[in-house]
Each structure stands twice: as C-alpha cells, then as structure tokens.
Amino acid sequence: LGGSPGAAEMAFACTPPGFFAANETLNELPEGVLKRMVKDTRKLLNRETESIPVKEYLKATPGMKESEITSAINASVFILRQLAMEEKADPKAMNSILARETDLSKAVRATFALSFKEDEAEKKIRRALNVGKLLDMKWKLGMGISSSSCTALKAPFVSLVLSVADADQEVRHHPVELTIEQFQDFREMFKKMALQIEQV
C-alpha cells in the first residue's frame, strides 16, 4: 500500500490556470536565463527583492511575449512555493514530484530541484555564522560528476568547512557545498560586511 501523499504533491493537485502552458515556456528558456529566473524567484520568496525584472528577461529571450515571460515567472513562484511545503529538501524527492506533477523537462526539473538544495546550503551558512564566532574557513574546488537529481553534471563547486566556536567555546565544523554562483554571492556578502565594519 502506498503512503499518504506529501504536502507538495497535494498542493500540485490545485495548479493555477495556464500552469502547464507556462511549463513549456520554462522548457524553452536558455539554461542561463532559467537559472537566473529561478534565482530571482527565490529572492522574491525570501523577501530579498520586491519584484522580478520582466523587461530584462524579454531582452534575453527574443521572440517571446511579455505574457509568456510573466506566466513563466508565476509558474516558478508556484513551483518553489509548493516544493517548500515538503518537509525534507531532498533534490531527488523534489525531482520525482516535479516529474509526476508537471510537464517540465529533465534539465528544468534538475534546475528547480538543485535550487532547493542551494537554499538549504545558504541557510546552513547563516545558521553556522549566527551561533558563534567564526574561527576558520577552509575551502577547496571540486568537480561534480553526478548528483541524486542529475547525472554527469561535470559542474565545478566549492566545498567549505566553517569552524565555529559556540557560547561554550566548543568548536563545531560545518561542511557546506556551494555552486560557483553561490560562492560568488557568499563572497559579495562578506565584502558588504567588511565595508559596514569599516564604517563603524
């Protein structure tokens, strides 16, 4: 007997009008544009931005209508909101749900699933830095050969180990893997922090 459906699966049963047509638009987006759209959508949902620049996406996708871009963005918002309802942010589980509940291609499903994992990595860094004093940070560059949601990735990533002392001076080590884009964002965050410290 199968178990009861997860929260995300139940949510996908109530898809908004035009959702599957928007899936086709997402499938047609160039890889770089899709990744940026998913990233912008995450920022919107995390309240890091108030809007997504539709006009910029129109410039990057000649031949597409504004209504198609807007629908693709709305579909991205819906997808990430539904996936966030799942208790465990596991890329393999996310990919399976998307394969069953959407018309997204394998590559697009992988982009959404991995973005969910990236969210968790960013949260893990914030949690590590919020609980104590950063003592050391070690990093190394690696090459992803495969993952639970996509095979033969051949994509570079940065592996970090944050050594943090808590209030009791107990040192804890927090391993985190970041994509190159995430690492660049992480670097920019530290630059901003350094500038703020200098102004104090």
Side-chain angles (χ1 to χ4, degrees):
L1 294 176
S4 59
E9 295 171 69
M10 294 176 64
F12 271 102
C14 302
T15 55
F19 175 72
F20 291 100
N23 283 193
E24 294 304 316
T25 301
L26 288 169
N27 289 339
E28 294 173 7
L29 291 176
E31 182 181 3
V33 175
L34 174 67
K35 287 183 176 180
R36 181 185 170 190
M37 183 176 289
V38 173
K39 184 176 180 180
D40 283 347
T41 303
R42 282 181 14 229
K43 287 183 177 180
L44 183 69
L45 293 176
N46 291 333
R47 297 182 180 180
E48 296 174 14
T49 185
E50 294 182 355
S51 62
I52 296 177
V54 176
K55 299 295 184 183
E56 292 184 16
Y57 283 103
L58 279 173
K59 292 179 182 178
T61 54
M64 283 195 175
K65 300 177 182 178
E66 184 172 346
S67 59
E68 292 175 318
I69 296 297
T70 301
S71 294
I73 291 172
N74 290 338
S76 296
V77 171
F78 176 77
I79 289 168
L80 290 178
R81 276 180 174 163
Q82 307 321 305
L83 292 181
M85 295 172 65
E86 192 74 2
E87 292 182 1
K88 295 183 179 179
D90 174 61
K92 186 176 181 180
M94 299 300 148
N95 205 322
S96 296
I97 291 172
L98 291 175
R100 185 167 56 250
E101 307 294 339
T102 73
D103 290 337
L104 298 176
S105 68
K106 182 178 179 181
V108 175
R109 294 198 307 268
T111 298
F112 276 100
L114 290 174
S115 77
F116 208 81
K117 182 178 180 181
E118 289 168 3
D119 264 346
E120 288 302 304
E122 291 172 4
K123 289 175 184 176
K124 192 172 183 179
I125 288 175
R126 292 192 181 101
R127 286 196 298 267
L129 296 178
N130 285 337
V131 297
K133 180 180 179 182
L134 179 64
L135 300 178
D136 188 28
M137 181 174 67
K138 296 179 180 179
W139 69 276
K140 64 180 180 179
L141 186 65
M143 185 69 71
I145 298 175
S146 64
S147 76
S148 58
S149 59
C150 184
T151 58
L153 288 175
K154 296 182 180 177
F157 67 91
V158 178
S159 178
L160 296 176
V161 177
L162 306 174
S163 298
V164 179
D166 60 20
D168 297 324
Q169 298 304 309
E170 182 177 353
V171 178
R172 299 181 183 276
H173 304 286
H174 303 269
V176 183
E177 286 187 3
L178 304 174
T179 63
I180 296 300
E181 287 183 356
Q182 277 184 290
F183 183 71
Q184 290 172 344
D185 290 343
F186 186 56
R187 183 186 61 183
E188 289 301 315
M189 180 179 71
F190 267 88
K191 281 184 179 179
K192 291 178 182 178
M193 290 169 59
L195 286 174
Q196 291 177 358
I197 291 172
E198 289 177 0
Q199 294 171 1
V200 173

